[in-house]
Amino acid sequence: MASSELRNLTKKQKEKAVDDDDRISQLPDALLVQILSLLPVEDAVTSCVLSKRWRYLWTCIHSFIFRDRNYNKVENFISFVDHVLTHSTCSKIKKFQLYFHHTEWKLESKISQWLSFAVENKVEDVVLDSYPCDDDPSYELPLSMYTCSSLVTLYLSHWVFDERLTIAWNSLKSLTLHSTELEDDDVVMLLSSCPALETMELLFCEGCHRLEFTCSNLKSLTLISPSQPLFGGYDCLEIFAPYLQHLDISGELFDFKCRLVNVSSLVTANLTFNICCITDGWEEDDIEEDSCRDHHQDIRNLVLDYLEKLSHATELIIESWFAEVVFMLQLEGVMLPELRCKCLNLKLQCRDIPCQLEQSYFDEVDNINFPSWIPNTVFPNLKNVNIVGDEARCLKSGQKRAFVRFLNF
């Protein structure tokens, strides 16, 4: 209704017109609570001022996302969370997420109290995203969380487990651990405690050198390497996962190597971590030629092993360095395994000028009769090739010609 028409109405007619226009308030309470649960908690609570109808609706919300960055003082943050949880009438919490990045705030006791409330109300999705102080780089998981049978998804950042306590997450399907120290036995223990686990993500975790997944339920693994040169103090991380279907490995890696022991059921593999030449960041005159050559030989052996272990995957996502190594192996006449890959996704990695050894291969591009040596048997089932990145900016002329030949099946 136009404002000019509204001015000509009586008070009673105006109230009726406003009510007619307020269609959202005519929705059932259950639907309004669902809408409020999608909003930031602060906004949901503020809705109480809209009208008497809305005064207590927010107390029924089933999703709670608290961020300490929205507050300047720890007292205000604690007071708000306490107020919301004290007045909550929800009997089953779908989402409970805590983001606390003020490293100077000491919240351990309050977090334990808040999580106990969530566990008592059968919480399904929990996120604990924290950045502890440098002198205390992690928090200890509250006792109530160890036997939370309602958990379906769990994300922990900078948290540690008490090895003396037993974990029982029988309903958990997705587990993400960020910046967590894990020994090999810890991974085995976690998997045995999560019989329904389907997806696992280890992001910047340290401490283990072998990931052994023998559970047939686990289908997806995401691994982002830590920033340290060596993963857990070892120069090689082994993955044994015969039932795994989706594997995603990424990160900035140099000395790190990830060896695939058994991934025979893989359908998709994403290998988008960076492996640079040992000369990167150094003057080439300061690097012995044998060191550079040995380094590249190690990478070649790694790629050959990947090609063999990934032969059953139907979709591959690789960085440009991976394709460069395959190109070099082809120039050397190395016999490459046949892949079942139908879709190849190539991510271009912008790099500086190649080292002398790499450039020597690219210099041979124009002198090679490519039809005579490009092995079509490597990708006999390939249907789609997707190139992501700025090809003109990322590739030097020699590299560009090499890629064109490499992809010209």
Side-chain angles (χ1 to χ4, degrees):
M1 179 177 293
S3 59
S4 57
E5 296 175 339
L6 190 60
R7 284 195 297 270
N8 296 326
L9 297 178
T10 65
K11 180 179 179 181
K12 195 169 186 179
Q13 290 174 322
K14 289 180 181 179
E15 291 177 350
K16 185 178 184 303
V18 171
D19 288 340
D20 289 342
D21 286 341
D22 186 14
R23 302 292 178 85
I24 191 171
S25 292
Q26 299 176 19
L27 297 175
D29 284 358
L31 185 54
L32 292 177
V33 170
Q34 183 71 21
I35 294 173
L36 289 176
S37 296
L38 298 175
L39 300 176
V41 180
E42 290 83 358
D43 293 342
V45 174
T46 305
S47 68
C48 68
V49 302
L50 294 177
S51 67
K52 291 182 179 180
R53 167 81 188 285
W54 290 81
R55 182 172 297 177
Y56 299 109
L57 281 177
W58 71 268
T59 64
C60 302
I61 62 174
H62 50 69
S63 294
F64 302 86
I65 302 177
F66 299 106
R67 303 177 187 272
D68 67 354
R69 285 180 174 172
N70 297 334
Y71 300 84
N72 294 324
K73 296 181 179 180
V74 62
E75 295 83 2
N76 295 340
F77 177 64
I78 292 176
S79 177
F80 178 76
V81 178
D82 283 344
H83 173 76
V84 171
L85 300 186
T86 300
H87 289 81
S88 174
T89 60
C90 176
S91 60
K92 185 173 181 59
I93 297 177
K94 292 186 177 180
K95 183 181 298 183
F96 192 89
Q97 301 182 357
L98 283 174
Y99 298 85
F100 43 105
H101 297 164
H102 282 292
T103 58
E104 71 277 10
W105 291 3
K106 302 299 182 181
L107 298 172
E108 289 90 334
S109 61
K110 295 303 298 184
I111 291 172
S112 180
Q113 177 184 331
W114 297 336
L115 286 175
S116 294
F117 167 84
V119 172
E120 290 171 1
N121 288 278
K122 301 178 178 60
V123 64
E124 294 182 354
D125 175 7
V126 170
V127 172
L128 300 178
D129 192 343
S130 64
Y131 283 88
C133 299
D134 293 337
D135 56 350
D136 187 11
S138 59
Y139 293 105
E140 187 171 308
L141 194 66
L143 180 62
S144 60
M145 287 296 298
Y146 284 84
T147 55
C148 184
S149 59
S150 59
L151 268 182
V152 177
T153 62
L154 177 62
Y155 177 101
L156 299 175
S157 176
H158 296 89
W159 289 81
V160 296
F161 302 93
D162 189 335
E163 297 179 356
R164 299 168 298 178
L165 299 176
T166 301
I167 295 176
W169 293 332
N170 296 328
S171 303
L172 192 68
K173 293 185 178 182
S174 176
L175 174 62
T176 300
L177 300 178
H178 186 293
S179 300
T180 303
E181 288 195 14
L182 292 170
E183 300 292 339
D184 294 352
D185 292 340
D186 294 332
V187 177
V188 174
M189 178 271 295
L190 279 173
L191 292 176
S192 64
S193 305
C194 311
L197 193 65
E198 299 175 357
T199 301
M200 189 172 193
E201 297 182 346
L202 299 177
L203 316 179
F204 308 104
C205 294
E206 300 178 0
C208 59
H209 74 286
R210 181 179 174 87
L211 299 176
E212 188 165 340
F213 305 104
T214 56
C215 175
S216 59
N217 289 330
L218 188 68
K219 300 300 183 183
S220 178
L221 173 65
T222 298
L223 174 65
I224 298 181
S225 72
S227 57
Q228 300 298 322
L230 301 180
F231 190 88
Y234 296 88
D235 62 357
C236 183
L237 173 68
E238 297 181 343
I239 297 180
F240 181 86
Y243 301 104
L244 202 65
Q245 294 183 0
H246 309 284
L247 176 63
D248 187 336
I249 307 176
S250 60
E252 293 292 335
L253 307 178
F254 183 70
D255 291 329
F256 170 84
K257 297 179 182 66
C258 184
R259 191 168 75 88
L260 307 180
V261 179
N262 185 341
V263 287
S264 55
S265 299
L266 275 188
V267 177
T268 62
N270 183 351
L271 305 177
T272 54
F273 51 89
N274 300 327
I275 294 184
C276 304
C277 177
I278 197 172
T279 62
D280 286 9
W282 294 78
E283 294 293 335
E284 292 206 17
D285 293 340
D286 297 332
I287 301 293
E288 295 183 5
E289 183 177 349
D290 290 343
S291 297
C292 178
R293 189 172 296 276
D294 291 343
H295 178 73
H296 281 284
Q297 186 58 50
D298 288 342
I299 295 177
R300 287 191 188 89
N301 294 336
L302 186 65
V303 170
L304 276 172
D305 185 61
Y306 283 164
L307 291 176
E308 179 182 349
K309 296 301 194 305
L310 300 176
S311 60
H312 293 84
T314 56
E315 180 177 356
L316 294 179
I317 304 173
I318 59 175
E319 289 274 9
S320 55
W321 68 264
F322 194 104
E324 289 177 11
V325 175
V326 174
F327 166 70
M328 295 177 186
L329 291 170
Q330 291 174 340
L331 281 176
E332 295 175 355
V334 176
M335 183 67 67
L336 302 177
E338 179 180 311
L339 304 181
R340 295 183 183 178
C341 178
K342 295 182 178 180
C343 180
L344 178 64
N345 298 275
L346 178 63
K347 292 187 175 182
L348 299 184
Q349 174 190 1
C350 297
R351 294 179 54 191
D352 295 330
I353 298 175
C355 68
Q356 293 180 1
L357 180 62
E358 292 173 309
Q359 191 60 50
S360 66
Y361 283 90
F362 297 130
D363 289 341
E364 294 186 40
V365 172
D366 292 330
N367 300 322
I368 295 294
N369 180 13
F370 282 92
S372 67
W373 65 267
I374 291 183
N376 294 326
T377 56
V378 177
F379 291 96
N381 302 304
L382 195 63
K383 302 297 182 183
N384 299 300
V385 176
N386 302 314
I387 301 179
V388 180
D390 189 343
E391 182 179 354
R393 184 170 65 89
C394 292
L395 298 180
K396 306 299 179 182
S397 58
Q399 290 173 286
K400 185 174 181 178
R401 290 194 297 273
F403 276 116
V404 171
R405 300 295 197 277
F406 170 74
L407 296 174
N408 186 26
F409 299 107

